[in-house]
Amino acid sequence: MSEINKIKDDIKTILAQNGFNQFILVDPNGCIIQQEIKRIKSLSAVKTMAFAKLLKTIKQSASVIGKNKFKIFTISRKNGQNIFIFPVGKFYLGVVKSTDINTTLNLEDQLNSLVNTQLNNLIIHLLKALKQR
Amino acid sequence: MIVFCEDCGSKNQLNPDQISFNQMGYNFVSFTCLTCQYKNVFKIDIHQNSNPNRFKNVLKEILSASSIIGIFIFHENKGLIYHLMPKVLKESDLLFLSKHLVNAHQESVQLFPDSDKTIWGIGDTHLTVKSLVNSLFIILASKTPALPDHVNSQLDLLDDHSYNPLADLAPGFPSGVPLG
């Protein structure tokens, strides 16, 4: 297994342990760096571009309206698979909630805590590995 | 409903079946005065399905929840049309904010048509955006990311396709915009 796949698996494992089953990572320009989102993967190229555009919009709006206080953007969906997008350094990470997760949990705090502890280092390693490839 | 006789001015209580509507939805009342027996038929200035403050009352009910800081209503073409936000915020700031929030919301809905709401976490404040009827968007500022159940129920009430909230919120738009 390559180093990249191992790091991706570690990220997936941490997310899965916390009730998130898919993720997408984009750079400051809204370009997708890494994705493990089944539904996004199956989307057309146009829709994938639209998702990257959405992340770019969020990044731009966050810098204008939230300054450095922006924490998270949530898309609440009727099917329960909510999408959470939040900054990790200069990058943006999007994760999808499992439908069976307890919705009474404070997911925002939970994600912020994950980013500040386990995920941040893994994502830095992933970016380094991708750069060396 | 209480109306006054055109002839003697006496007060008369009408049943709903004594009120009829024309195609424009305006009310016509037809009744015989209980005091002078005069046969009244006249138009009254109330629109069908209209409760003049229905929309605003629901907004005030939402605002009464302890976790809700404020509310603003944005129209896709007309901009900010109504708000119940702390006075410290300028309307120009709210308009600027609304445009960014609604733009991201619309892009999210375009990509995921089953999107119900979009929520921004900024500092200790959360901004929830939800589409309503007639190109309107409601934006709630709250202390918590999740809205209380009764607020969600009230939001469902606002999503009534048989009702035009613009008539309540901005009757004279664009000549007279009732902000605040």
Side-chain angles (χ1 to χ4, degrees), chain A residues 47-128:
Chain A
K47 283 241 178 182
T48 306
M49 280 168 65
F51 191 74
K53 184 174 173 280
L54 170 66
L55 293 170
K56 198 173 177 179
T57 300
I58 291 163
K59 181 192 165 283
Q60 286 169 343
S61 292
S63 65
V64 176
I65 62 177
K67 304 280 188 294
N68 55 354
K69 291 184 177 176
F70 170 69
K71 286 183 179 171
I72 197 162
F73 178 81
T74 307
I75 303 172
S76 169
R77 298 169 71 197
K78 287 171 187 162
N79 68 5
Q81 288 199 315
N82 295 350
I83 296 173
F84 300 86
I85 297 161
F86 46 93
V88 182
K90 289 180 183 174
F91 294 79
Y92 274 71
L93 182 66
V95 295
V96 180
K97 190 185 79 172
S98 310
T99 46
D100 54 352
I101 193 172
N102 182 353
T103 51
T104 59
L105 291 173
N106 189 337
L107 298 176
E108 189 181 312
D109 285 348
Q110 193 184 344
L111 278 169
N112 281 327
S113 162
L114 273 180
V115 169
N116 291 331
T117 54
Q118 305 166 74
L119 278 181
N120 203 20
N121 286 338
L122 277 173
I123 287 168
I124 289 168
H125 286 142
L126 177 65
L127 293 171
K128 274 183 187 168

